[in-house]
Structures are given as C-alpha cells and as structure tokens.
Amino acid sequence: EVQLVESGGGLIQPGGSLRLSCAASGFSVRSNYMSWVRQAPGKGLEWVSVFYSGGNTLYADSVKGRFTISRDNSKNTVYLQMISLRAEDTAVYYCARDLTSAWFFDYWGQGTLVTVSS
Amino acid sequence: QSALTQPASVSGSPGQSITISCTGSSNDVGRYNLVSWYQQCPGKAPKVMIYEATQRPSGVSNRFSGSKSGNTASLTISGLQAEDEADYYCCSYGGSDTFPYVFGSGTKVTVL
C-alpha cells in the first residue's frame, strides 16, 4: 500500500529554519517525481518544489533561494529544508507523488502544518 | 506563472449536474492535455478525480467527467450528491523545466 507521511511542522519565528520530512512506503521515491505542495489557511493549493527521478529539482519563485528539496533513497524519504521563513510561508505542507511524467498527483500525504509567527 | 482561473463557488441541488470551469493559457491548459482535477474535503488531503483532462482513476465515481476545449478545461459532476460538497482544484502541466504544476484558484461546490 502506498503511503506518504509528513512530519517536522510546527511554530517557528520569522527568519527561522525548519526541515520537513516525507516518509514513503509501498514504492520507491527514487523512481518517481516527488513534490511539495502547500496550502495557506483558507487558501488554495500552491506547488512549491519537485524532485525529479533523474535528480533535477525545481522551485516556485516564491521559495526559490530559501527552500531546498532533497531525497534520501536509503530511507525512502524526501525532505524540504526551509530557511528565512516568512509569515506568508504559513501553510499546511503536503508531500505528493507524480508517477514519473504522468503530470498529476496520485498520492498525497496527510500534510504537516507550518506556522511562522513571533 | 499565474494560477488557473476557476469560479469561486458553484452550487446545485441533489441529482442535478454542475460544471466547473478552469481557464488557463496557451502555455498550459491550451498546450497540453495534462489537466487534473482534485477534490478536497475539509481538513483532508486532495484526491485526484480526473487526470489527462478526461481520464478517471479507478475507484472514482463515473458521475465525475472531464473535458477540455482550447484554454479551458471543465469538470462535470452528474447526479449531484451531498457527499460531493467539497473544494475542487484543477491543475495543469506547465512545462517540466519551468513551472510543471499550475493549480487553479479552487471552487467551492455546495449541494443545496
């Protein structure tokens, strides 16, 4: 059974750093495109970053230079390192799988809430 | 990359059909048949309902159907049921080396 479990969210002050984890089971993260998608309170979905199976990464302009996506194949886990956090980064962060160039998300995690506030 | 445009809300009575539009540009919706639709119930993660504009994943009710014409994709829910009340988001491929996933602004579906 495919499962994605996010962790690492919490309350952090503006300017702080946080690392989110997405532990996958039932498939290999190295063979798929893994993304982070966020949703600010009461707002819509926003794609944040992707780690392609080939190793390339992409970021939305809103997080470029501040967020870094990475992958640990041995732990079958994807990470999102976030630095210089701003109030507008407050959101539920979802990990999602794209079955390698299918260009849609067939599985999502339950999400982890990041709150940036002093 | 701008978000795709969806109506903020759509409503219908049980048994009726409703259609949600999703308007993009020639760089995303108009260029690729790679539009997906997601249903999000309150406090839950999104769930894919349609992919590749018209394809329905196994397990999704055949009351849900998708279509696309030009720069606009649409999701139709037939035989509306109370359980269909949720937020719906479209998403289009926007190019693998630039902005691969462009989401719509979201539509709240209310069953009257």
Side-chain angles (χ1 to χ4, degrees), chain B residues 95-111:
Chain B
S96 65
D97 58 350
T98 51
F99 204 95
Y101 308 97
V102 186
F103 280 100
S105 47
T107 299
K108 170 67 178 177
V109 168
T110 301
V111 181

Side-chain angles (χ1 to χ4, degrees), chain A residues 43-54:
Chain A
K43 302 297 184 182
L45 300 171
E46 178 190 18
W47 172 78
V48 172
S49 180
V50 63
F51 200 114
Y52 289 129
S53 54

Side-chain angles (χ1 to χ4, degrees), chain A residues 12-71:
Chain A
I12 187 79
Q13 291 189 337
S17 301
L18 210 56
R19 189 180 80 159
L20 307 182
S21 300
C22 169
S25 57
F27 73 99
S28 174
V29 295
R30 79 168 75 187
S31 303
N32 294 269
Y33 297 173
M34 299 300 299
S35 275
W36 288 94
V37 177
R38 69 183 180 183
Q39 186 171 35
K43 302 297 184 182
L45 300 171
E46 178 190 18
W47 172 78
V48 172
S49 180
V50 63
F51 200 114
Y52 289 129
S53 54
N56 291 342
T57 59
L58 281 179
Y59 300 90
D61 287 347
S62 57
V63 306
K64 202 172 293 182
R66 299 187 300 121
F67 289 13
T68 302
I69 191 171
S70 61
R71 184 179 74 189

